[in-house]
Amino acid sequence: MPPVEHPLFSRVWSWAMRHEPGDVVRGRIELLEGLSGRVLEVGAGTGSNFPHYPATVREVVAVEPDRVLREEAAVAAAKCETAHPETRIRVVDGTFEALPDDAAGPFDAVVCALVLCSVADVPASLAAAHDALRPGGELRYYEHVATDGWLGGVQRAVDATFWPRAFGGCHTHRDTVGAIHGAGFEPVRHRDVRMAPRWAPVPIAPIALGVARRAD
Ligand SMILES: C[S@@+](CC[C@H](N)C(=O)[O-])C[C@H]1O[C@@H](n2cnc3c(N)ncnc32)[C@H](O)[C@@H]1O
């Protein structure tokens, strides 16, 4: 697996996370509510989810391959641990496709926020999530997903041209929920969310927010 380093994107993302819209923050809170025990978060970015873990979560192992983002996540983790010492947050280097030994399971949940759009290999990532979970453990997702119609056409066009290079490998037209259900997870709940009005040509507007359970 080649290293995941996007120096320009990571700085843009870091800025964006300091100006995150309230709707996205509410999505993060919904993503994490009700979690408990040990959680694996992959592609944790700057650690934007960390403040929203419920106190019932005992440990979060946060994997982040990009050095700039990982350093920010470590600072965010230290801040959260000071405010909420009941939840230990460990930030480690690694990728979804090849999880490091530091991220050894079993976990009660795996959290994916805006990351399955960016990984190089979705099936390998979901297989790693499946292996890391205890039987019955939950995959929590908050992801950009493919849509149909004219906006689906916009997604395909941007994915084939500038988007992945400009935005750290992000692909807007992935059938991520289909991939999750095809990877040994059964649906628990699901909600379609829009990040922008229907008329706006924003390829990342369609978001899937939900829970799937390891089926075996
Ligand atoms: C759009 S950012 C989202 C960050 C964070 N999850 C959030 O919700 O703010 C995408 C993240 O996926 C990470 N990423 C990209 N490829 C990855 C891979 N193969 N394995 C794990 N993380 C990856 C990036 O470094 C970045 O942190």
Side-chain angles (χ1 to χ4, degrees):
M1 180 77 201
V4 178
E5 292 281 344
H6 298 286
L8 183 57
F9 170 73
S10 59
R11 283 166 177 86
V12 171
W13 188 255
S14 170
W15 179 88
M17 289 303 92
R18 291 194 295 275
H19 302 83
E20 198 165 46
D23 282 356
V24 180
V25 175
R26 282 187 283 282
R28 294 186 186 282
I29 292 168
E30 183 175 336
L31 172 73
L32 305 176
E33 69 192 2
L35 286 176
S36 61
R38 286 194 85 212
V39 174
L40 174 65
E41 180 176 341
V42 190
T46 59
S48 304
N49 285 327
F50 296 170
H52 308 301
Y53 277 102
T56 42
V57 172
R58 178 170 37 90
E59 182 187 17
V60 178
V61 178
V63 176
E64 172 50 53
D66 183 281
R67 184 185 54 79
V68 172
L69 297 177
R70 192 169 58 249
E71 285 173 5
E72 289 197 34
V75 172
K79 260 193 211 156
C80 284
E81 275 195 18
T82 306
H84 306 284
E86 60 281 0
T87 305
R88 178 171 183 231
I89 305 178
R90 270 195 300 136
V91 178
V92 301
D93 188 8
T95 65
F96 216 153
E97 294 89 339
L99 288 173
D101 292 345
D102 288 344
F107 290 94
D108 297 294
V110 172
V111 169
C112 300
L114 311 176
V115 63
L116 289 168
C117 55
S118 300
V119 298
D121 187 336
V122 175
S125 299
L126 290 171
H130 189 277
D131 289 350
L133 282 168
R134 64 167 170 78
E138 288 181 347
L139 180 71
R140 299 281 183 114
Y141 57 87
Y142 183 51
E143 291 286 343
H144 303 305
V145 286
T147 191
D148 49 14
W150 66 270
L151 187 56
V154 172
Q155 290 179 324
R156 278 193 294 273
V158 300
D159 283 4
T161 52
F162 68 98
W163 196 276
R165 253 172 298 151
F167 297 107
C170 174
H171 292 77
T172 65
H173 193 70
R174 282 189 174 166
D175 176 16
T176 300
V177 178
I180 289 170
H181 296 155
F185 294 94
E186 59 192 23
V188 175
R189 61 176 182 269
H190 174 91
R191 198 160 78 78
D192 293 317
V193 179
R194 286 196 80 87
M195 262 201 194
R198 279 189 186 279
W199 51 264
V202 178
I204 54 167
I207 298 270
L209 174 55
V211 183
R213 183 179 292 129
R214 181 179 148 157
D216 58 337

